[in-house]
Amino acid sequence: QVQLLESGGGSVQAGGSLRLSCTASGDTYSRNCIGWFRQAPGKEREGVAAIHKMTGGTDVVDSLQGRFTISQDDTKNTVYLQMNRLKPEDTAMYYCAAVRVASTWGCHTRGTTFPYWGQGTQVTVSS
């Protein structure tokens, strides 16, 4: 089993920044790819970014490149999502998720199925 705990959400004004954290524990074998997703009220969940824990390879969805970055600290089993120049449309519940993939090329949020999920952390951006 894999346990994921998100933190770092909160309220911020447009243009501000937040850094979300996802701390993983449990079965290391099953979680070599960590992804961030978000879901706004009334909208479908969407992928944000992913990182392959062994290679460090990252993938950020096109619409968020330049504002969002994903990174990791292996010593803390933690993956970070740095969000800059936040906009009101970034308001959502943010979730991290884990999966084991065969290669770094499979570590992304566009179609890869993630079986392990955290409880989420709320991000609210006011105008």
Side-chain angles (χ1 to χ4, degrees):
Q1 278 292 345
V2 176
Q3 293 80 42
L4 301 168
L5 181 64
E6 304 96 335
S7 62
S11 297
V12 64
Q13 289 191 328
S17 298
L18 281 175
R19 188 179 77 162
L20 306 184
S21 299
C22 172
T23 301
S25 60
D27 182 8
T28 304
Y29 178 85
S30 298
R31 51 179 171 90
N32 65 355
C33 174
I34 303 294
W36 282 99
F37 295 79
R38 67 184 184 181
Q39 187 166 20
K43 294 188 177 181
E44 291 188 356
R45 186 176 64 201
E46 62 176 345
V48 174
I51 186 167
H52 193 278
K53 293 186 63 60
M54 294 299 293
T55 66
T58 63
D59 182 272
V60 178
V61 298
D62 290 348
S63 61
L64 298 176
Q65 287 184 8
R67 295 196 300 124
F68 287 21
T69 57
I70 187 170
S71 62
Q72 65 179 344
D73 183 339
D74 278 345
T75 65
K76 299 180 179 178
N77 285 322
T78 298
V79 170
Y80 302 101
L81 182 69
Q82 178 68 44
M83 307 184 295
N84 298 327
R85 301 194 304 278
L86 283 161
K87 304 176 181 180
E89 51 263 43
D90 294 319
T91 295
M93 185 71 80
Y94 284 72
Y95 300 90
C96 69
V99 64
R100 177 168 185 82
V101 296
S103 74
T104 189
W105 305 111
C107 185
H108 57 77
T109 59
R110 301 179 303 279
T112 298
T113 299
F114 287 73
Y116 304 104
W117 291 82
Q119 294 300 307
T121 186
Q122 178 67 38
V123 171
T124 302
V125 184
S126 58
S127 57

